[in-house]
Amino acid sequence: MCNELLSIAFYRAVFTELLATAIYVFFGLGSVLDWPETPSILQTSITFNLAAATAVQIAWQASGAHINPAVTVAFLLGSRISLVRSVCYVVAQLAGGIVGAAILYAVTPGNVRGNMGINKVNINISSGQAVAVELILTLQLVLCYFISTDRQRSTGSPAVIIGISVALGHLVGHYYTRCSMNPARSFGPAVITGDFLQQWIFWVGPLIGAALASILYNFVIYYDPKPFSQRLSILKGSYDEEEPERQEENAQKEALPLPSLVHRL
């Protein structure tokens, strides 16, 4: 049985993913609306940068601040979270994307809404090229997620580096696909406007990119030697992260000579 379902912290984490994703989508999409002053690529990139950094800072301690189904899938494949948590996170993120887009739609004048920042493929590139671009953009984003949240190699909040990674993706990807890297960011406005014409591109590209990033990080760049039993326990949600530390401490106590053990006690 998944122990996480018995924890209040689990449900707080799921709600935090919904809230943080809604905040990210609201502010991000708000920077691409069709106001009389057309936003520049730099303005949009900076806004998505700040929105991502803010959302990550809000959610980091509560949920790990995925805010992106592609990131959650990558962490699942890398044996970082359970299957139950990943499913709940993805549902919360998609709901958050819809909520953020819906609020923006409700408070924006009709002549400004336009297409609500829906991702669209540049007419000069093919669908395959668009998928490849989204794959590459998401690959670098997820690699940044892994390294900046790896407690063995990084300390503190990952908000700044993740925000920079999001901005980097938008500075290049805007010309190709208006840059998604995040199925929840694309799904929210698509639901509100009813436009799902090219939606598959913004699922296939990011999810493949996330899977490749997980393989590269966990099996090539920084090999993670988790045994199969541990990976299975993490998948089921029954793994106790403190158990290895307790076992190591007990082993050290057993290895101590009796006088040393008495002295320590």
Side-chain angles (χ1 to χ4, degrees):
M1 179 179 178
C2 183
N3 296 332
E4 292 175 314
L5 294 177
L6 304 177
S7 170
I8 295 177
F10 172 78
Y11 296 100
R12 288 175 177 165
V14 172
F15 172 76
T16 303
E17 282 293 309
L18 187 155
L19 176 63
T21 307
I23 291 172
Y24 172 73
V25 170
F26 176 88
F27 285 97
L29 294 184
S31 70
V32 295
L33 295 177
D34 296 328
W35 293 99
E37 299 82 13
T38 303
S40 65
I41 305 300
L42 183 60
Q43 176 185 339
T44 298
S45 300
I46 291 175
T47 304
F48 271 100
N49 174 336
L50 297 176
T54 300
V56 168
Q57 189 65 34
I58 291 171
W60 165 234
Q61 295 295 337
S63 68
H66 293 186
I67 319 171
N68 185 338
V71 173
T72 298
V73 168
F75 274 58
L76 174 65
L77 296 177
S79 298
R80 304 297 180 96
I81 59 173
S82 69
L83 178 60
V84 169
R85 182 178 289 265
S86 65
V87 171
C88 291
Y89 272 20
V90 169
V91 171
Q93 291 154 3
L94 294 178
I98 296 172
V99 169
I103 294 175
L104 183 66
Y105 185 88
V107 301
T108 303
N111 63 323
V112 175
R113 291 170 184 161
N115 56 23
M116 283 293 295
I118 287 180
N119 292 107
K120 292 289 185 182
V121 176
N122 189 306
I123 60 174
N124 296 312
I125 67 173
S126 67
S127 296
Q129 290 172 319
V131 169
V133 168
E134 284 293 326
L135 185 157
I136 296 168
L137 298 179
T138 309
L139 176 71
Q140 64 85 23
L141 173 64
V142 174
L143 285 175
C144 281
Y145 255 94
F146 273 120
I147 189 60
S148 63
T149 59
D150 191 334
R151 295 180 180 177
Q152 295 181 347
R153 299 175 179 87
S154 300
T155 58
S157 171
V160 173
I161 187 60
I162 290 175
I164 292 173
S165 180
V166 170
L168 175 64
H170 279 82
L171 284 169
V172 174
H174 184 90
Y175 296 99
Y176 294 87
T177 61
R178 293 187 182 172
C179 188
S180 174
M181 301 189 293
N182 185 337
R185 173 258 182 268
S186 301
F187 185 71
V191 170
I192 298 303
T193 62
D195 185 353
F196 294 92
L197 183 61
Q198 297 177 322
Q199 184 70 193
W200 67 273
I201 293 173
F202 308 107
W203 283 83
V204 174
L207 290 179
I208 295 177
L212 288 177
S214 184
I215 293 171
L216 286 174
Y217 187 86
N218 294 294
F219 297 97
V220 179
I221 302 174
Y222 296 108
Y223 176 66
D224 185 0
K226 288 188 181 80
F228 177 76
S229 58
Q230 182 179 345
R231 292 181 183 276
L232 187 60
S233 295
I234 294 173
L235 182 67
K236 293 178 178 179
S238 58
Y239 179 69
D240 184 357
E241 293 183 359
E242 298 180 358
E243 181 63 25
E245 297 179 1
R246 288 196 294 265
Q247 291 178 353
E248 182 178 354
E249 183 178 348
N250 292 335
Q252 291 176 350
K253 288 181 179 179
E254 292 175 359
L256 284 173
L258 183 58
S260 298
L261 181 58
V262 172
H263 177 72
R264 285 188 63 183
L265 294 175

